Amino acid sequence: MASGGANGEFSFSSSTTAAANRAGSGRNGLPKIQTQDSAKKLSDAAARGAAAGAEDLCYDDSATPVKAQTLDELHSLQKKRSTPSTPITAPAAAGNQGAFFTAMSEEERQRQQLQSISASLASLTRETGPKVVKGDPARRSTAPKVGHVEHYAPSISVTDSSLKFTHVLYNLSPAGTYSLFYWNLGIGVFSCAVLRVHLLIKEMLYYKKKKKIAELYEQAIKYEKGSFITSTGALATLSGAKTGRSPRDKRVVRDDTTEDDLWWGKGSPNIEMDEHTFMVNRERAVDYLNSLDKLTLPSSVAVFVLFIHADEITHLNPDPHACLEHRIKVRIVSARAYHSLFMHNMCIRATPEELENFGTPDFTIYNAGQFPCNRYTHYMTSSTSIDLNLGRREMVILGTQYAGEMKKGLFGVMHYLMPLRGILSLHSGCNMGKDGDVALFFGLSGMLPIIKRVALFVFVPYPLFLRVLARFPFCLLCTGTGKTTLSTDHNRYLIGDDEHCWSDNGVSNIEGGCYAKCIDLSAEKEPDIFNAIKFGTVLENVVFDEHTRQVDYSDKSVTENTRAAYPIEYIPNAKLPCVGPHPKNVILLACDAFGVLPPVSRLNLAQTMYHFISGYTALVAGTEDGIKEPQATFSACFGAAFIMMHPTRYAAMLAEKMQKHGATGWLVNTGWSGGSYGSGSRIKLSYTRKIINAIHSGELLEANYTKTEIFGLEIPSSIEGVPSEILQPANTWSDKKAYNETLLKLGGLFKKNFEVFANHKIGKDGKLTEQILAAGPVF
């Protein structure tokens, strides 16, 4: 079988991209902005970006805009009643002042750290980044007096941001921060005064011991309106007008680095932009961040992709750092403490030893989401822009404060970086039995804001779609596949719930935390998630009682896409470190609202690739008069919004690893039986759990199978605890004619969706492509 991996290894080059080199380089290696470009080149590139944006991108979690028209109105939705008469008292800071560092090596280490931060904030209009030093802005008034210093008038103009103190919260520890501040004095202005000021600040230097997460709480409550501590100790905050991702505003720089490797064109989530436009947005973000009074720099945030050999997994105390060559160090520069705490929870926390030698980050995110992009800039279609430049190893966020953009942005980077190293990146859940058997769960998320997604699905402009809904009341339900529910099993260890990698040594969680949906959350339904919402957890866009601070998870006043971000160790049965041996089972979950797919079927490798590439589930639409009609939706690799390369590449890698390590593929339908939505009934969760348990135990490997028509799926004859009659979908329909018509209809939808992938050849002879196509519906 052809391998889906590549031989080359990806590395973040310190040089600029080829396009930038052709244009010339500016100060500090930053490319010059070319103000006179070929009109034809810009128009052609813009046309390609518009064409890509016009396609139905993918199944995403973009959210319905909030109902509020002003910030005050948004904040009023967050609390159920009037503002409390008693103010909230923030917890006291937990840090104590320490002594100076005197060791030469330590001073050098600090100098390199500060230079690294300064370089991250370098600007095209300034020779260097801001002059960053350690210190406490609250103690500036205690500084020794300085005599009069002669200075001369500047010869060039200086912006306000270049002559002001900026307080930088520099999070250097998994459980704390250092206080920093800098004085940014522009391009060599006041050179004599600069020397005196720097000498003065150096005299004020002191080392501040590591503070706890409480400081980020304090900063959020003090400076970010809408931030509160809930009754369980979690930090409740608001993400502003955007309460979900903005996939149509995501851009990727198309240059020599990405031209051949990335998936461009019809069906791709990658909408292109050029280097020039990226630098315009980067400069806008950096200038905004440099103008703030406060800035959070959680330099401890690092994504470590850890891989341990399968034999070592059985050890009682495995070394989580046995293999670190695939980790990337990430720096997030953000204006909000909420974003720093979010990424601290979601990424794998670095150890104190790793932080001491953090050095220069491998990837930097500039989150200036409170500031909009310029809508008249090339490639921009709104005031929101999420820009990824793989050549410069940078990401810029403008116009959205939704924290999930950072998480999924890094996931996109891993979807590009890992396959080039022969490692398969996956949008999946993962758990492990007590005997070491690992299972992967693929499925599209439910309980998301759906209206905007359907506007994309039917190719209707979103504002027009809203007007149609206003005239014809219409509700839409997303039928979740149960990925989170089924991968969270008290009898099995949780490796992760969303993002994983599969290497030659086994599987590992890319992340260090969970980003769980909170809508209608209860202790009875999801006890692990419910109990994980405590001190350190970030709650996004939830509504709570103004006095008791008790969260009402059923309230959708702000958004239906309420979320909780918490470290994975908050889950009692989490597997720490989050690694495991090679999977034995690959489970593809589909919620079939048409009611024609069997509750479970065994897949061969070609069928696994076909259904993995398809990524099928269903949306259910209902009108007020009771007419219901399901709609099929497809998301390549069960995460089309995040993949960077062509889906067939990931599918080939999956099949290769399954074949090499003896994994079995399964298609599990968690949707309807006995008819489509409206006439049939949802398959009981208890039955689905028994099916999953039979997969884990190996019972289904010994079962007898029969093959279905059209899809050619192998169905087991019996499963303990599951009625045999529901295993064959045709047996559950009273109207056989309607069943056959619905089966043909769904098969046709699969074939139509797969047309975009049919011409993509895998391997030199393309035989693998033919095998995948043959594994689809046959009429």
Side-chain angles (χ1 to χ4, degrees), residues 28 30 113-133 161-162 166-170 180-184 282-292 294-297 331-335 361 364-368 392 394:
N28 298 320
L30 296 175
Q113 286 180 339
L114 299 179
Q115 285 180 347
S116 175
I117 299 172
S118 178
S120 293
L121 292 168
S123 170
L124 295 179
T125 58
R126 289 180 291 278
E127 241 178 77
T128 64
K131 306 299 181 182
V132 185
V133 295
S161 64
S162 66
T166 298
H167 185 188
V168 180
L169 294 177
Y170 181 27
L180 303 170
F181 70 104
Y182 61 77
W183 189 295
N184 180 4
R282 181 193 186 276
E283 185 76 352
R284 190 175 178 91
V286 169
D287 283 345
Y288 169 75
L289 293 169
N290 279 332
S291 71
L292 299 174
K294 293 166 295 298
L295 195 65
T296 57
L297 252 166
R331 170 171 292 154
I332 291 93
V333 184
S334 172
T364 302
I365 297 177
Y366 299 96
N367 191 337
R392 287 187 54 84
E394 291 178 340

Side-chain angles (χ1 to χ4, degrees), residues 231-286:
S231 60
T232 61
L235 177 67
T237 188
L238 294 170
S239 64
K242 294 292 182 71
T243 58
R245 294 186 306 105
S246 303
R248 287 192 176 276
D249 295 312
K250 178 186 173 184
R251 301 288 184 271
V252 182
V253 174
R254 186 168 184 169
D255 54 16
D256 292 344
T257 303
T258 60
E259 176 68 33
D260 297 327
D261 288 332
L262 264 59
W263 178 25
W264 304 103
K266 184 178 180 181
S268 169
N270 303 315
I271 305 175
E272 70 176 83
M273 72 185 308
D274 59 19
E275 181 88 7
H276 163 82
T277 307
F278 176 85
M279 295 307 299
V280 170
N281 284 349
R282 181 193 186 276
E283 185 76 352
R284 190 175 178 91
V286 169

Side-chain angles (χ1 to χ4, degrees), residues 90-152:
N96 295 320
Q97 297 180 9
F100 295 104
F101 277 119
T102 56
M104 193 66 180
S105 60
E106 181 65 17
E107 289 180 353
E108 177 64 19
R109 185 186 64 80
Q110 291 184 14
R111 184 185 66 81
Q112 291 178 357
Q113 286 180 339
L114 299 179
Q115 285 180 347
S116 175
I117 299 172
S118 178
S120 293
L121 292 168
S123 170
L124 295 179
T125 58
R126 289 180 291 278
E127 241 178 77
T128 64
K131 306 299 181 182
V132 185
V133 295
K134 290 183 185 294
D136 185 356
R139 296 187 52 177
R140 281 179 293 176
S141 59
T142 64
K145 294 183 179 180
V146 181
H148 178 70
V149 179
E150 295 292 336
H151 63 273
Y152 53 88

Side-chain angles (χ1 to χ4, degrees), residues 424-452:
L424 176 61
S425 51
L426 301 166
H427 185 222
S428 68
C430 184
N431 65 23
M432 184 178 77
K434 296 178 181 179
D435 295 330
D437 58 298
V438 171
L440 293 173
F441 293 82
F442 295 90
L444 301 180
S445 300
M447 301 302 294
L448 299 175
I450 304 303
I451 295 178
K452 189 172 183 179

